[in-house]
Amino acid sequence: MEKDKRRYSLRNKIIRYNLMLMISVLILCGFIFVASVGVIAGSYVQSDFEFIMTATADTVESGISYCSDVVTNVRKSEILMNDFLGKNVILPEEKEVLEKEFEKQVSISEQNIFGTGGFPLVEKVYLFHNEGTYMSGTYHVLNYTETRKSDQIFEDIYKKYQSGLNDDGYYEIDEQSICMIFPVLDERMEQRGNLFYQIEKPAVEYLMKDVEKYEGAFWVLCDRKGNEICGYNQKYFSEDKDKLLQMFGDEPFEAELSNKSYQIHRKNVGMNLEIFLGIPKNQFLSLLYDSLKVYVIAIALIAAVAGALHVVVIY
């Protein structure tokens, strides 16, 4: 009888050790598996973050390229450069020809970048002669009252710009719109006039929707001096502006902002504009955890079942 008890006790010990070994190996293999998947998933998550940032910046650049195309088209138009910007007096019979040529070169309805509700990035374009005369084009058709109101706004901005109160070339029209000004130069690089663009902030914000969904993320559209034109969570940019303005890179890079690690992308989008985008690195870890938690839960459940089996067999 005593011999049978010893055999039973020995058998239990062997089973216990085997189960403990099995659970230990299972946990170790699970850890190695999760770590391996984490490395692979981490590279994909990192690539996704970089793709979102670069694709967003490229889309903004594509929208702004319309403005630079208008500058090029106007400069190449002999009718506009010679018969409008090259004269101080425009005859009544020349006005219709000039307006048709301006409409043709601006082609404001052919933009391919739109925001919420189909609103364009550029709502209005004005071409000002150095003497203050101008022609205009709008994406949406305006009635007489709306046209006069719009003209008055741009006439006022033109006066401010000519007075030199702001030589950066960016003026706020209202909470939804900004005016961007760019000179028109002739072949001798002498200024003949200026192009005024009304940029719609909601359209820019719509382009940034994929960045804004991450907690703590920011984006800022700046002029060549780093002056902020519009943005989201701009405080994160403002607090370390001097530091960010000294950082460059064709691809997204890491930076410490206010004791927090960020993935940053800086891009020149044309027309003396730059865009900064930043996403906290902890969002990267959060997304990585979301990718791995199903595996962690599965391994934990298997380990729990094995543990329960151990208890049942032993006791």
Side-chain angles (χ1 to χ4, degrees):
M1 185 69 114
E2 214 174 294
K3 191 175 179 181
D4 291 340
K5 284 184 179 179
R6 283 199 299 268
R7 285 178 180 175
Y8 183 75
S9 177
L10 179 61
R11 186 171 66 86
N12 279 358
K13 285 182 179 180
I14 293 173
I15 293 173
R16 182 183 302 170
Y17 290 144
N18 285 340
L19 284 172
M20 289 177 65
L21 180 63
M22 180 186 72
I23 293 172
S24 299
V25 170
L26 177 65
I27 293 173
L28 178 62
C29 291
F31 176 79
I32 294 172
F33 174 75
V34 170
S36 301
V37 173
V39 171
I40 298 170
S43 63
Y44 281 109
V45 171
Q46 178 76 15
S47 297
D48 286 346
F49 267 83
E50 293 181 358
F51 174 77
I52 288 170
M53 299 176 83
T54 55
T56 300
D58 289 345
T59 303
V60 175
E61 182 182 31
S62 177
I64 297 297
S65 68
Y66 163 76
C67 300
S68 58
D69 289 343
V70 170
V71 175
T72 301
N73 292 343
V74 169
R75 290 187 63 188
K76 287 181 178 180
S77 171
E78 293 184 3
I79 296 175
L80 293 177
M81 293 299 291
N82 297 330
D83 297 341
F84 178 62
L85 298 179
K87 291 182 178 181
N88 291 331
V89 178
I90 306 298
L91 300 176
E93 57 269 23
E94 296 176 314
K95 188 175 180 181
E96 185 178 351
V97 175
L98 291 171
E99 287 177 346
K100 286 183 178 180
E101 177 67 9
F102 177 73
E103 183 180 348
K104 174 185 174 183
Q105 300 303 335
V106 170
S107 301
I108 195 168
S109 62
E110 295 182 9
Q111 294 178 76
N112 59 359
I113 300 297
F114 298 92
T116 306
F119 285 96
L121 183 65
V122 180
E123 174 64 32
K124 299 171 186 175
V125 179
Y126 278 69
L127 176 61
F128 273 85
H129 188 287
N130 282 338
E131 297 300 318
T133 55
Y134 58 86
M135 291 186 291
S136 65
T138 62
Y139 184 83
H140 292 98
V141 177
L142 305 180
N143 59 37
Y144 176 79
T145 302
E146 291 170 330
T147 299
R148 283 305 308 143
K149 182 180 179 181
S150 175
D151 290 346
Q152 187 62 57
I153 289 172
F154 279 86
E155 287 170 10
D156 291 342
I157 293 175
Y158 175 78
K159 290 175 183 176
K160 291 178 184 178
Y161 180 68
Q162 289 296 95
S163 68
L165 293 176
N166 180 357
D167 62 354
D168 294 324
Y170 299 95
Y171 295 83
E172 189 167 284
I173 297 174
D174 52 40
E175 291 184 355
Q176 301 295 314
S177 310
I178 56 173
C179 174
M180 180 175 70
I181 304 172
F182 205 81
V184 178
L185 309 177
D186 61 17
E187 294 178 350
R188 294 174 294 179
M189 302 305 290
E190 294 180 358
Q191 187 170 336
R192 292 284 194 90
N194 293 281
L195 278 161
F196 288 51
Y197 304 89
Q198 179 173 318
I199 307 295
E200 296 301 299
K201 290 182 184 180
V204 180
E205 292 165 358
Y206 179 77
L207 300 179
M208 299 296 173
K209 64 183 185 301
D210 288 336
V211 174
E212 293 182 7
K213 69 183 181 182
Y214 296 105
E215 184 178 352
F218 72 87
W219 64 266
V220 176
L221 186 66
C222 304
D223 65 15
R224 63 185 183 279
K225 297 180 181 178
N227 297 317
E228 300 164 36
I229 297 170
C230 60
Y232 172 78
N233 276 343
Q234 292 173 243
K235 63 181 180 179
Y236 298 118
F237 174 83
S238 303
E239 290 170 358
D240 290 280
K241 180 191 289 188
D242 294 338
K243 181 179 179 180
L244 283 168
L245 291 175
Q246 299 302 317
M247 294 180 173
F248 299 92
D250 295 330
E251 300 296 329
F253 54 88
E254 288 188 33
E256 290 290 327
L257 305 180
S258 302
N259 299 319
K260 197 173 184 179
S261 183
Y262 272 84
Q263 190 80 5
I264 304 292
H265 186 42
R266 177 181 185 176
K267 186 176 181 65
N268 186 323
V269 294
M271 303 296 285
N272 294 326
L273 293 174
E274 281 192 307
I275 192 161
F276 288 82
L277 303 97
I279 300 177
K281 291 290 288 184
N282 61 9
Q283 292 297 302
F284 166 84
L285 297 175
S286 176
L287 194 59
L288 181 59
Y289 171 73
D290 288 341
S291 302
L292 296 178
K293 66 182 180 182
V294 62
Y295 300 107
V296 174
I297 293 172
I299 291 170
L301 287 174
I302 292 172
V305 171
L309 180 62
H310 173 269
V311 172
V312 170
V313 171
I314 299 301
Y315 301 102

